[in-house]
Structures are given as structure tokens and as C-alpha cells.
Amino acid sequence: MTENTQRPPAPHIAPTAPYIAPTAPHRSNIPSNTVLVGQKPLMAYCTAIVMQINSGTKELSVKARGRVISKAVDIVEVCRRRFFDGKLSIKDVIIGTEVLGEEGQTRNVSTIEIKLAKSD
């Protein structure tokens, strides 16, 4: 093209709704003093607990279900013995079962909630 010639106008494209990428479930209904244990390394959860307690929270809840229940217990014990040296106590332990799946293909999954309290 030469400098004096102009391009023809682009064909009109109808505007579409913007694409909104799917996001992870919101934690809006989960209290801020709750740590949900999953597949991350153990120390990631320990760090979260230490940061939460050091920010002024007196009570904290650690929740897990299924195969990560043993990891939740390990996390609580590491925090109690290594980071808080007896100043973090277990206030309550709640165990339960959730029924997952669709009708006809349901299964029971064990759950645990460990409530911690910091003593001064």
C-alpha cells in the first residue's frame, strides 16, 4: 500500500458479552479463622495457622476430610510443639461424616474439625 491510500473499514462485528473465566469457589461462607486442609505441603498450613494466631486471633479451627485427616492432625501437632511450645491448646475435636455423590453413587467421607485456642 502506498501512503496515500487508506484501508477499507473493517466489517462490523457485533459486540458480545465479555468472557468471565471460571474461578475457585468463594470463601465467603467460611469464617476467616478456619484453615481448610487439602493437598498443599504441611508447612503451608502451619504458616497459615501461625500467621492467623500472631494477627490476634485467639481461637482457630482446622478442618479436613477424607485422606487428609491425618495431615490435619500432623499440622496441629507441629504447630503446638514447634511453633507455640505449649501455648496453643486443643479446645475441641469434632468428627463426622459427609455423604458425597449423586443418588445411587453416594459414599461416606469422614470429616474432622480441630478447634485450637491460644493461651497467654
Side-chain angles (χ1 to χ4, degrees):
M1 287 189 181
T2 63
E3 292 180 28
N4 293 340
T5 59
Q6 295 181 358
R7 291 185 174 181
H12 178 70
I13 299 173
T16 59
Y19 174 73
I20 300 173
T23 58
H26 295 289
R27 286 190 50 139
S28 61
N29 57 350
I30 301 170
S32 64
N33 65 342
T34 301
V35 176
L36 301 176
V37 178
Q39 297 300 319
K40 291 180 183 175
L42 183 134
M43 290 307 291
Y45 298 105
C46 288
T47 304
I49 291 171
V50 169
M51 289 176 61
Q52 191 74 26
I53 295 292
N54 287 340
S55 70
T57 303
K58 295 289 183 191
E59 293 185 1
L60 186 72
S61 180
V62 178
K63 292 183 179 183
R65 67 182 189 184
R67 287 185 248 162
V68 295
I69 288 176
S70 59
K71 184 188 257 187
V73 173
D74 291 341
I75 290 165
V76 169
E77 288 302 308
V78 167
C79 287
R80 283 181 60 222
R81 295 173 187 217
R82 200 163 160 195
F83 296 114
F84 291 100
D85 197 30
K87 295 179 182 172
L88 191 65
S89 61
I90 296 174
K91 185 177 174 185
D92 194 13
V93 177
I94 302 167
I95 57 172
T97 304
E98 286 184 12
V99 179
L100 298 179
E102 298 170 6
E103 200 171 311
Q105 294 182 340
T106 60
R107 60 186 182 275
N108 295 332
V109 178
S110 299
T111 62
I112 191 168
E113 179 178 359
I114 305 169
K115 294 186 178 185
L116 305 172
K118 183 182 179 190
S119 56
D120 293 326

